[in-house]
Amino acid sequence: MVLEGNPEVGSPRTSDLQHPENQGSCVLSSPSEDTQPGQEPIKYGELIVLGYNGCLASGDKGRRRSRLALSRRPHANGVKPDVMHHISTPLVSKALSNRGQHSISYTLSRSHSVIVEYTHDSDTDMFQIGRSTENMIDFVVTDTSPGGGAAEGPSAQSTISRYACRILCDRRPPYTTRIYAAGFDASSNIFLGERAAKWRTPDGLMDGLTTNGVLVMHPAGGFSEDSAPGVWREISVCGNVYTLRDSRSAQQRGKLVENESNVLQDGSLIDLCGATLLWRTPAGLLRAPTLKQLEAQRQEANAARPQCPVGLSTLAFPSPARGRTAPDKQQPWVYVRCGHVHGYHGWGCRRERGRQERECPLCRLVGPYVPLWLGQEAGLCLDPGPPSHAFAPCGHVCSEKTARYWAQTPLPHGTHAFHAACPFCGAWLTGEHGCVRLIFQGPLD
């Protein structure tokens, strides 16, 4: 075995660890040694899974939830690269048998592997995300099917890695947060097999990509009213940024993007090939509407007593406490091609186009006719503007800025495709704009 001590490998850009007493933490907000009694722990940010509108269908439980806050741990659990070994395969199992030693193994051939050992980093906290329910995974994420909800059933084969990625947060201001592909398994190891994309960097170190990859998109202009979608990139195991591969699992990597980094920004999207997560910073969340504000907007909309222009019945958005079950009798419905809001009625069906295709009695446009639901995941909203627009064809309602941003944001799907989708339910958007301005009829008295 050849041992190479390389001080450059210890660069803080490359990694993370798991402290035994912190494993499996779900709230991830225990007071740290720097937190004074009675003070809230420092929060690094929050991860929100797109497509669940504030809560998993089966309820948020433990580490399986639609939203998770990452806060400073009682004790640092980060790791950073230490030394690199060139070894022959028979020695691999022996070299990786120490569960307390974090390492990344790069299999180059049947007779040659490179193992990079990691050492404890007292300046960072690590959080791991993946499909596995093992204790080293802090945030358990399952596949989200287009149209909302988790892909369930024995035939639903997940494309999310058991150990998808890891996030490293600096414990000191400005609390910089970085993302890396792949997470450490129960043996504290990451394995990149012979068929995985991997390479030696110009400075003699190793790097690689996971099978389906971890993609990141940073919004242009931050996550605010002036935001615009950025460019999707792929993040390597060592946190470097690359252009996308020809297909999601191709063995040939993209080109290195030297002027971009793996630092997460407010509004950064993380795609794990089956689920997409939104990163919100504490400062960004202060600009987002609160649940109390969303409820006040609902009550204000209902207080305006909108009416069905044909049936003349008064419409009202149901309380979110009811959940999204069958539409309420007063539920507003919309023709998503024109935006005219009505109460439910049974006429105007076009048999040749299916049961949801209706002809608007006001403007005669034919298209989907769906109930309206308020978006309840406040962290997905760019601004606290009034609920004036609905996504097509699902009918989720939010502000104009929020609707237009998500309607022009392509989200990865499968190995090649990108589709704009409703952030509240995951339904693929249709129509020319993906959303429509709502036209309400006021009371006649």
Side-chain angles (χ1 to χ4, degrees), residues 107-286:
T107 303
L108 303 180
S109 68
R110 294 185 178 182
S111 59
H112 185 202
S113 293
V114 175
I115 296 178
V116 179
E117 290 186 350
Y118 281 66
T119 187
H120 178 63
D121 183 2
S122 60
D123 295 325
T124 60
D125 285 334
M126 183 178 73
F127 305 92
Q128 300 209 134
I129 304 167
R131 176 171 48 89
S132 172
T133 58
E134 295 174 273
N135 286 338
M136 81 292 304
I137 298 298
D138 298 291
F139 195 13
V140 180
V141 178
T142 54
D143 297 69
T144 304
S145 60
E152 299 177 350
S155 61
Q157 186 172 358
S158 178
T159 50
I160 299 175
S161 171
R162 289 183 299 159
Y163 317 105
C165 68
R166 59 199 194 279
I167 290 177
L168 216 66
C169 305
D170 288 348
R171 291 172 60 85
R172 305 296 177 194
Y175 307 112
T176 303
T177 301
R178 298 180 173 89
I179 185 169
Y180 302 81
F184 293 101
D185 63 16
S187 300
S188 302
N189 299 312
I190 293 173
F191 292 93
L192 293 181
E194 198 170 345
R195 300 173 67 180
K198 70 188 89 61
W199 58 92
R200 188 180 294 275
T201 62
D203 51 7
L205 307 180
M206 295 298 299
D207 202 354
L209 304 173
T210 54
T211 301
N212 289 329
V214 173
L215 308 187
V216 170
M217 188 270 278
H218 304 304
F223 196 69
S224 65
E225 297 181 25
D226 300 321
S227 290
V231 179
W232 282 99
R233 304 296 195 194
E234 181 161 12
I235 303 299
S236 73
V237 170
C238 292
N240 294 308
V241 182
Y242 291 85
T243 59
L244 301 187
R245 290 178 268 182
D246 290 338
S247 66
R248 195 75 187 237
S249 57
Q251 289 187 285
Q252 183 63 42
R253 72 177 187 272
K255 295 180 180 180
L256 178 67
V257 185
E258 296 185 5
N259 62 339
E260 296 182 17
S261 77
N262 62 335
V263 174
L264 294 179
Q265 308 166 14
D266 187 42
S268 291
L269 289 172
I270 304 166
D271 187 81
L272 305 178
C273 195
T276 305
L277 285 62
L278 174 69
W279 173 254
R280 297 303 313 266
T281 63
L285 289 170
L286 289 176

Side-chain angles (χ1 to χ4, degrees), residues 300-321:
E300 183 178 351
N302 290 345
R305 296 174 57 222
Q307 291 193 335
C308 174
V310 177
L312 302 182
S313 58
T314 300
L315 309 177
F317 286 102
S319 166

Side-chain angles (χ1 to χ4, degrees), residues 352-436:
E352 70 275 12
R353 299 206 185 185
R355 295 184 62 185
Q356 279 196 314
E357 294 282 309
R358 304 283 186 92
E359 181 181 85
C360 175
L362 297 184
C363 66
R364 302 300 182 186
L365 279 178
V366 176
Y369 176 64
V370 298
L372 292 175
W373 305 91
L374 290 172
Q376 291 298 317
E377 179 48 84
L380 300 176
C381 301
L382 275 76
D383 67 334
S388 60
H389 285 62
F391 289 108
C394 61
H396 276 102
V397 180
C398 59
S399 71
E400 178 180 5
K401 296 283 188 181
T402 298
R404 295 197 184 284
Y405 174 79
W406 289 107
Q408 61 181 339
T409 301
L411 300 178
H413 171 69
T415 58
H416 293 86
F418 287 80
H419 293 280
C422 171
F424 300 108
C425 71
W428 294 352
L429 302 185
T430 59
E432 183 180 355
H433 303 291
C435 60
V436 64

